[in-house]
Amino acid sequence: QYHLNIELEEHTKADHDYRIQLNTVFKLSRKIKEIFLGSEPMEKRALLNFLLQNPTVSGKELEYTIRKPFNALIGLARNPNWLPGLESNQDSRFQRAVAYL
C-alpha cells in the first residue's frame, strides 16, 4: 500500500505538470504572432528555433517541421472538429441514440 501511494503521488504530480505544460502551449500558441511581431531580431530567431525543427531555405521557400507539441495544434487548426468520426472501438452498425444519452 505504501508503494502504491507513492506511485499515485507520482502520477498525480505528472498529471498536474502535464496540464500546466498544455496550458502554456495553448497560451503561447494564441499569442505567438503578437509576440513575434513585437520582438527584436535575436528574439525572433530564438522563437523560431523553439518552434521549428530543421528549417532550411530552398530557393525562396522556407521548409520546416514544427516541433512537438506545437505540431499537434496545427492538426487541430486544420480540423477543429475534435470528434470527426467514430472512435476506434465503435462500429456504426451498433450505434444507437441511447449510447449518447
Side-chain angles (χ1 to χ4, degrees):
Q1 188 176 15
Y2 174 76
H3 293 292
L4 289 175
N5 283 333
I6 290 173
E7 283 187 41
L8 178 61
E9 287 178 25
E10 289 173 355
H11 289 293
T12 302
K13 183 183 180 324
D15 185 51
H16 178 72
D17 293 346
Y18 176 78
R19 288 178 189 218
I20 289 172
Q21 288 179 341
L22 187 61
N23 189 28
T24 302
V25 167
F26 277 122
K27 284 181 179 179
L28 178 60
S29 298
R30 275 190 254 130
K31 297 181 179 185
I32 197 74
K33 182 178 179 181
E34 179 183 326
I35 293 169
F36 185 82
L37 294 175
S39 299
E40 297 295 322
M42 292 291 287
E43 294 168 326
K44 288 180 180 181
R45 186 175 297 117
L47 186 58
L48 288 174
N49 285 333
F50 180 70
L51 293 172
L52 304 180
Q53 181 175 322
N54 301 326
T56 58
V57 177
S58 177
K60 292 185 178 183
E61 296 291 319
L62 175 64
E63 297 176 3
Y64 58 89
T65 303
I66 298 179
R67 292 184 191 270
K68 291 181 181 181
F70 299 103
N71 62 346
L73 295 176
I74 299 297
L76 291 176
R78 290 184 185 141
N79 185 11
N81 182 4
W82 288 22
L83 300 173
L86 298 174
E87 293 183 15
S88 62
N89 64 345
Q90 293 178 327
D91 188 332
S92 62
R93 295 175 292 165
F94 301 111
Q95 293 298 307
R96 292 180 279 156
V98 176
Y100 296 101
L101 296 177

